[in-house]
Amino acid sequence: MISQVAENVWKLDADSNVYFLNFDKKIIIDTGRRSNRNLLEKYLPKVVDFSNIEIVIFTHLHYDHIGNFDLFSNAKFYASKQEIEDFKENRNNTVLDENIVDIFNVELTKLPENIEGLEVIETPGHTRGSICLWYEKDKILFTGDTIFRNKRITGRTDLPTSSPDEIRESIMKLLDYNFKIICPGHDY
Ligand SMILES: [Zn+2]
């Protein structure tokens, strides 16, 4: 189902969550698992047309966050510089699903430090190129797989492009933000 998190922020609950931001430009944060495509098709059109999405931001490029990229045919796709480099170097290790690698044919643009009022926070750990996004107005932190709602739980750091030595520092960095709401990649 889809629920409103803040005035212009929506959350599609799935195994891997998808967020819709109704800003001046319409933004999607992560696109979920391919196997949850039916959920996106059922619920997202209640709040936005796929064709009106101009920006898709990936917190990282694991298969369960990029799986439905192709629903957003008019969007520009963003990931961190590090994540894009890792993807170019070793697609399978960066995506972790060969079937998704085979179809993932988008042009990735390097994230700027700020995008449409969202601050991009580099949080290496779960993957070297993982990022979180800070929405100051409503004090919302989009955390991907870096931390989950229970702040003591963090994403795995034993995957091929993980950086276990850096996760602690990344979490400390996040705790400096006075967030009211965490919007994680999974509801753990
Ligand atoms: Zn992940």
Side-chain angles (χ1 to χ4, degrees), residues 59-65 96 126-127 130 144-145 159 186:
T59 59
H60 61 300
L61 296 175
H62 281 157
Y63 67 97
D64 53 336
H65 295 253
L96 304 179
H126 177 64
T127 67
S130 281
D145 287 0
L159 299 165
H186 309 278

Side-chain angles (χ1 to χ4, degrees), residues 78-120:
Y78 290 88
S80 75
K81 178 170 178 271
Q82 180 67 57
E83 201 74 1
I84 295 171
E85 279 172 14
D86 282 338
F87 179 71
K88 284 180 178 158
E89 202 162 293
N90 190 325
R91 292 176 170 230
N92 285 324
N93 275 354
T94 305
V95 172
L96 304 179
D97 183 317
E98 284 176 24
N99 296 321
I100 300 295
V101 166
D102 284 346
I103 58 169
F104 189 64
N105 58 352
V106 305
E107 190 184 327
L108 291 164
T109 299
K110 195 176 75 178
L111 272 165
E113 286 178 13
N114 247 281
I115 181 161
E116 299 297 316
L118 296 165
E119 180 187 338
V120 177

Side-chain angles (χ1 to χ4, degrees), residues 170-181:
S170 291
I171 290 167
M172 297 306 283
K173 198 193 275 187
L174 291 180
L175 295 179
D176 280 344
Y177 288 79
N178 57 336
F179 51 84
K180 287 199 184 117
I181 302 171

